[in-house]
């Protein structure tokens, strides 16, 4: 039987970014996959990370910048990017805010994101 996810769980993070988890460890108890709607303000950044999960990011509005060992990719509204487990990456926005959906396989967890110890949100 289909399961309606009527309300996401908002996960508090510093830096003004809003994470609304629809499916995942917090909202539904899923360890297999997480699906979150993100809203990041202009000039937002987070520390580099090397997650233990694959992540698919679909940009709805604005631009998401993805720094990686080979440079930087600009992911515009209507585009998506796939990052693989173990890749060292950093997400940020430029001079405008961005809205995007992140799908993590297996589900995101603070213990498996492997963020660098640096300032960020």
């Amino acid at each position: 039987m289909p399961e309606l996810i009527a309300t996401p769980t908002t996960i508090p993070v510093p830096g003004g970014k809003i994470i609304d988890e629809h499916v995942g460890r917090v909202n539904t108890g899923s360890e297999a996959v997480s699906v979150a709607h993100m809203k990041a303000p202009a000039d937002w950044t987070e520390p580099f990370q090397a997650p233990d999960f694959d992540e698919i990011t679909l940009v709805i509005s604005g631009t998401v910048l993805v720094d990686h060992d080979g440079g930087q990719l600009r992911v515009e509204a209507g585009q998506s990017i796939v990052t693989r487990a173990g890749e060292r990456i950093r997400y940020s926005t430029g001079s405008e805010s961005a809205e995007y959906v992140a799908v993590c396989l297996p589900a995101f967890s603070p213990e498996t994101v492997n963020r660098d110890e640096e300032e960020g949100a």
Side-chain angles (χ1 to χ4, degrees), residues 73-112:
L73 292 170
R74 294 178 55 86
V75 189
E76 308 282 343
Q79 297 180 324
S80 57
I81 187 169
V82 178
T83 58
R84 307 284 182 211
E87 289 182 319
R88 188 168 183 269
I89 53 171
R90 176 176 58 194
Y91 297 98
S92 63
T93 59
S95 60
E96 63 180 61
S97 63
E99 184 175 352
Y100 56 101
V101 174
V103 178
C104 299
L105 299 161
F108 174 92
S109 79
E111 296 78 28
T112 61

Side-chain angles (χ1 to χ4, degrees), residues 17-89:
K17 179 176 159 183
I18 297 170
I19 301 174
D20 286 331
E21 183 185 275
H22 288 263
V23 175
R25 296 174 194 266
V26 175
N27 201 47
T28 63
S30 173
E31 294 184 10
V33 63
S34 59
V35 178
H37 182 191
M38 315 283 215
K39 295 177 184 173
D43 300 315
W44 164 84
T45 190
E46 66 183 3
F48 270 95
Q49 58 192 21
D52 293 336
F53 48 81
D54 291 350
E55 186 166 352
I56 302 152
T57 303
L58 168 62
V59 179
I60 297 168
S61 66
T63 301
V64 174
L65 305 174
V66 182
D67 294 310
H68 57 94
D69 287 340
Q72 183 182 77
L73 292 170
R74 294 178 55 86
V75 189
E76 308 282 343
Q79 297 180 324
S80 57
I81 187 169
V82 178
T83 58
R84 307 284 182 211
E87 289 182 319
R88 188 168 183 269
I89 53 171

Side-chain angles (χ1 to χ4, degrees), residues 1-9 21-24 27-29:
M1 178 172 180
E3 178 185 356
L4 174 66
I5 310 298
T7 307
T9 298
E21 183 185 275
H22 288 263
V23 175
N27 201 47
T28 63

